[in-house]
Amino acid sequence: MIEIGIVLGSTRPGRLGDQVARWVHERASRRADARFTLIDLRDHPLPHLEEPPGFSGRYDDDRTRAWAATVAACDGFVFVTPEYNHSVPGVLKNAMDHVHVEWTTKAAGFVSYGGAGGARSVEQLRLICGALQLADVAPQVTLPLATEFEDRAVFAPGAYQLPALDLVLDHVVAWSTALAPLRRGDAEAAIRGRRGAMVEGLRVKDLEALRRCYAPDVVSFDVEPPLQHVGVDAKLENWAKVFTIFEKVDYELRDLTVTASGGLAVGHGFGRVSGTLKNGVTTDGMWVRGTFVFRDTGDGWVIVHDQASVPFDVATGRGLADLEP
């Protein structure tokens, strides 16, 4: 199913955008033709362009990698944005500039608010989308402070705004769906997007999001008992066990390489589960070598096999769990 990210483009104190973004998300969530996820830039505190240009899709900074995974997991976007000084919020521009290939061949719609409804911010965003090869749809929702906010502070949209919002969502879903074959044509980007969706699913402990990353008949080899998980339910049972151990879980993936041919692809890299345990102790976990086999189902790439392993010391026969990639 098509995945649409609703990007809340303001992080400043006292923002009104969270009210608007919730309104968009609540309305969108009633639809059956796509899944919608609210993406708050407060949850992605990016530095100011400390990365080289993102044309390669490979990033050094953990914050950038997390943001790239979030963007890659989406097929389209609805940007919720205010207008600052006749233009786009700096934090939103920085977020869009931080990555590149993760935006391309996807669709974008706009819900704006402000003194003039945020219309001038959207005009700037359309130029940015063109450079990123984001297909911006023509309909948009503009929300003037004087008419759609009580005392210019509490969001109270008129009922006439709902058809306008529905039209934006219709176009974003339709264009995201139409562009899907182009995205599938770039197997490596699609697979990186699927891995990104898996990482985000782990971070929010969303088993259903993880289920969408695996084939029903997945076979997985692990470094700890029971060593093998056969079928997606067994794999998810293992991740559920991890979630009972961690209060806050994180997952890092480094140096992923992907080789695709036809409907199959093989990838390998290094992965590490880390986070905060239930007892409050923070652990960095250990790096393991990961190998992945992906299959194109026609509705996206899924993992049909994965294997985690660690090197061992020949003299002692013990696994080496303290190595860095």
Side-chain angles (χ1 to χ4, degrees):
M1 183 176 286
I2 293 295
E3 305 279 350
I4 306 297
I6 300 170
V7 180
L8 174 49
S10 172
T11 60
R12 74 192 311 175
R15 65 182 181 179
L16 303 177
D18 49 351
Q19 301 177 57
V20 179
R22 285 196 300 269
W23 173 70
V24 174
H25 187 246
E26 289 169 3
R27 184 69 173 182
S29 296
R30 301 179 185 184
R31 303 174 66 102
D33 54 358
R35 281 186 290 264
F36 295 84
T37 301
L38 183 57
I39 301 171
D40 189 341
L41 292 186
R42 281 186 177 175
D43 297 329
H44 296 275
L46 295 166
H48 183 67
L49 290 183
E50 295 179 5
E51 293 273 4
F55 304 121
S56 68
R58 293 179 173 86
Y59 309 101
D60 295 327
D61 192 290
D62 289 343
R63 295 164 295 182
T64 305
R65 284 199 292 266
W67 174 239
T70 298
V71 176
C74 297
D75 299 294
F77 306 91
V78 176
F79 292 98
V80 177
T81 180
E83 178 182 314
Y84 294 161
N85 299 319
H86 289 212
S87 190
V88 183
V91 67
L92 178 55
K93 180 65 164 65
N94 186 50
M96 297 183 77
D97 289 344
H98 243 78
V99 298
H100 188 91
V101 296
E102 291 78 7
W103 295 114
T104 60
T105 60
K106 300 178 181 181
F110 310 99
V111 176
S112 61
Y113 61 95
R120 290 166 295 203
S121 178
V122 171
E123 290 305 304
Q124 298 290 323
L125 277 172
R126 291 188 186 278
L127 295 174
I128 299 167
C129 287
L132 293 172
Q133 300 182 62
L134 269 168
D136 55 307
V137 303
Q140 67 187 69
V141 178
T142 55
L143 304 166
L145 291 177
T147 60
E148 309 304 319
F149 294 80
E150 295 177 358
D151 299 322
R152 303 172 71 88
V154 178
F155 185 47
Y160 53 83
Q161 293 287 2
L162 289 176
L165 176 58
D166 288 339
L167 187 60
V168 170
L169 298 174
D170 287 345
H171 280 241
V172 170
V173 172
W175 277 93
S176 298
T177 303
L179 291 168
L182 293 179
R183 293 192 298 277
R184 284 199 295 269
D186 186 348
E188 181 175 349
I191 289 168
R192 289 182 183 276
R194 181 63 76 182
R195 290 294 298 166
M198 177 183 166
V199 171
E200 287 306 302
L202 289 173
R203 287 172 174 159
V204 299
K205 301 182 180 180
D206 187 342
L207 289 175
E208 287 308 306
L210 294 176
R211 181 182 295 275
R212 296 193 289 271
C213 298
Y214 295 102
D217 56 348
V218 62
V219 176
S220 179
F221 295 141
D222 208 342
V223 294
E224 61 180 4
L227 300 181
Q228 177 177 276
H229 313 288
V230 179
V232 67
D233 290 333
K235 184 67 177 179
L236 294 182
E237 183 178 347
N238 184 62
W239 282 125
K241 175 184 173 183
V242 172
F243 296 160
T244 65
I245 299 172
F246 285 87
E247 181 67 30
K248 182 179 179 181
V249 64
D250 197 6
Y251 184 87
E252 299 172 74
L253 181 63
R254 289 189 182 178
D255 303 333
L256 176 64
T257 64
V258 177
T259 302
S261 178
L264 291 175
V266 177
H268 60 83
F270 299 93
R272 175 172 69 173
V273 176
S274 60
T276 304
L277 303 177
K278 291 289 186 178
N279 61 8
V281 174
T282 299
T283 175
D284 290 333
M286 68 176 182
W287 289 102
V288 299
R289 299 177 296 189
T291 303
F292 312 93
V293 178
F294 302 86
R295 182 172 66 219
D296 186 5
T297 65
D299 191 33
W301 292 85
V302 294
I303 299 172
V304 296
H305 172 71
D306 64 12
Q307 176 172 329
S309 64
V310 295
F312 71 97
D313 183 280
V314 176
T316 65
R318 294 182 180 275
L320 303 176
D322 58 351
L323 299 180
E324 293 287 332

